Amino acid sequence: MKLNPIFKNGKSLILPYDHGIEHSPTDFNLVNVDPQYVIDLAIKGKFNAFVCQAGIAHHYIEHHKKTVPLVIKLNAKGKIPKIEPISVQNCSVKRAVKLQADAVGYTIYLGSEHEREMFKEFGKIVEEAHDYSLPVIVWVYPRGRFVKDDLTTDILAYAARTGLELGADVVKVKYNNDKEGYKWVVQNAGKAKLIVSGGPGIELGEKYLRHVRDFMDAGASGMAIGRNIWQSEKPLKITKALKSLIFDNAKVKDALKWLK
Ligand code: FBP
């Protein structure tokens, strides 16, 4: 599967903005509630892709299609129901193609009582997307009442393996600050690319850049980081620091210079 332009020399930095439906607008402020602001960040920061739900793509496609590759997330779950997590498809692959997506995305809650429904739906999506030569990115988040700890190395490796075995081209999982263990996580993704998710409210200083260096050294292929970019007051500086680590193999002390 051709991953260009979402991967450059095998590496990628992706800007997700699918949080409204997932978390409610509590992640937003008066600036970043405007999708255009975040799309412009994706363009200025030369991200490898911007990720959103179909509705955002539908309303804003004209502007960003020319300038940043698009990943349309095909499923979503809301914030209110207190049930075992399930994320259900709301946009077809065909519609994503019409909206000129360069890839499609899907979330699986591994370990949920509903995982088999997501496995089944995702399998069909992979088949359809590959018929259109569209790469597929899967977010695999272990979650639900049977998951005691979603950040053990074993469960992250299981998440990575699930993405590979279900046919994803790219698997997005969390990082658990276990550099040595993470090599095992990456190995379990096999020929699928493994990228790391951002998370809420991280202080993007030396400690965080060290983690990025560590998971890149463990074999990750990049990141999909949202809130810590578009909630930041210096998003483009952070972007440059992350890019230096991901694409230029920079040392942490050199990446830190971008934050000054
Ligand atoms: P962040 O970098 O902001 O954490 O975004 C990554 C992401 O996977 C989004 O694509 C998604 O909307 C969100 O996190 C899901 O968060 P949660 O772990 O709370 O379900």
Side-chain angles (χ1 to χ4, degrees):
M1 189 56 52
K2 193 171 150 278
L3 288 176
N4 186 35
I6 294 173
F7 280 76
K8 191 179 144 204
N9 299 329
K11 303 282 166 54
S12 187
L13 180 62
I14 293 174
L15 188 64
Y17 185 65
D18 58 331
H19 303 62
I21 192 164
E22 299 281 338
H23 294 160
S24 84
T26 48
D27 282 346
F28 303 144
N29 61 24
L30 286 171
V31 175
N32 58 37
V33 69
D34 180 3
Q36 196 63 64
Y37 169 75
V38 183
I39 291 166
D40 287 343
L41 276 184
I43 294 167
K44 283 187 208 142
K46 295 193 171 60
F47 278 79
N48 295 85
F50 171 76
V51 183
C52 62
Q53 289 281 333
I56 302 274
H58 165 69
H59 288 289
Y60 294 82
I61 186 77
E62 282 305 316
H63 180 63
H64 74 262
K65 177 61 196 171
K66 295 175 197 139
T67 40
V68 63
L70 172 68
V71 178
I72 296 189
K73 195 79 185 291
L74 300 184
N75 66 338
K77 83 165 168 50
K79 183 188 177 185
I80 297 172
K82 300 295 173 219
I83 57 171
E84 274 292 290
I86 177 162
S87 188
V88 174
Q89 186 172 7
N90 61 63
C91 172
S92 65
V93 173
K94 193 172 164 192
R95 184 166 181 227
V97 171
K98 279 190 195 152
L99 290 167
Q100 302 183 52
D102 297 281
V104 291
Y106 188 94
T107 296
I108 289 174
Y109 295 112
L110 182 67
S112 162
E113 278 179 20
H114 303 295
E115 67 172 19
R116 76 197 74 175
E117 293 154 61
M118 291 175 273
F119 289 173
K120 187 174 168 192
E121 194 168 73
F122 182 66
K124 284 191 181 150
I125 284 170
V126 170
E127 191 179 338
E128 285 173 50
H130 286 177
D131 281 348
Y132 284 104
S133 300
L134 269 191
V136 180
I137 305 176
V138 68
W139 286 225
V140 188
Y141 291 164
R143 200 165 293 180
R145 68 191 171 98
F146 299 111
V147 178
K148 300 294 171 232
D149 183 348
D150 65 337
L151 288 177
T152 65
T153 297
D154 278 349
I155 205 154
L156 291 174
Y158 184 27
R161 194 66 180 190
T162 300
L164 171 72
E165 295 198 5
L166 290 175
D169 303 290
V170 182
V171 188
K172 179 182 171 190
V173 296
K174 297 194 172 169
Y175 182 57
N176 63 351
N177 303 346
D178 173 11
K179 180 183 176 182
E180 278 312 303
Y182 216 68
K183 291 177 185 163
W184 178 239
V185 177
V186 174
Q187 277 168 7
N188 271 281
K191 284 191 174 177
K193 299 266 184 205
L194 184 137
I195 60 174
V196 176
S197 68
I202 295 162
E203 196 197 325
L204 284 165
E206 184 171 356
K207 191 173 165 200
Y208 188 71
L209 296 186
R210 163 61 50 207
H211 290 323
V212 176
R213 182 69 277 145
D214 286 349
F215 63 66
M216 291 305 297
D217 289 347
S221 295
M223 295 189 79
I225 174 168
R227 284 165 287 188
N228 290 303
I229 300 291
W230 44 258
Q231 287 177 344
S232 166
E233 285 172 7
K234 44 180 182 180
L236 294 176
K237 287 187 174 179
I238 292 165
T239 302
K240 284 195 167 149
L242 294 175
K243 280 182 145 186
S244 71
L245 294 166
I246 293 169
F247 295 100
D248 307 331
N249 209 17
K251 294 191 168 101
V252 172
K253 70 173 171 48
D254 295 323
L256 260 177
K257 290 177 191 158
W258 289 108
L259 299 184
K260 298 283 181 312

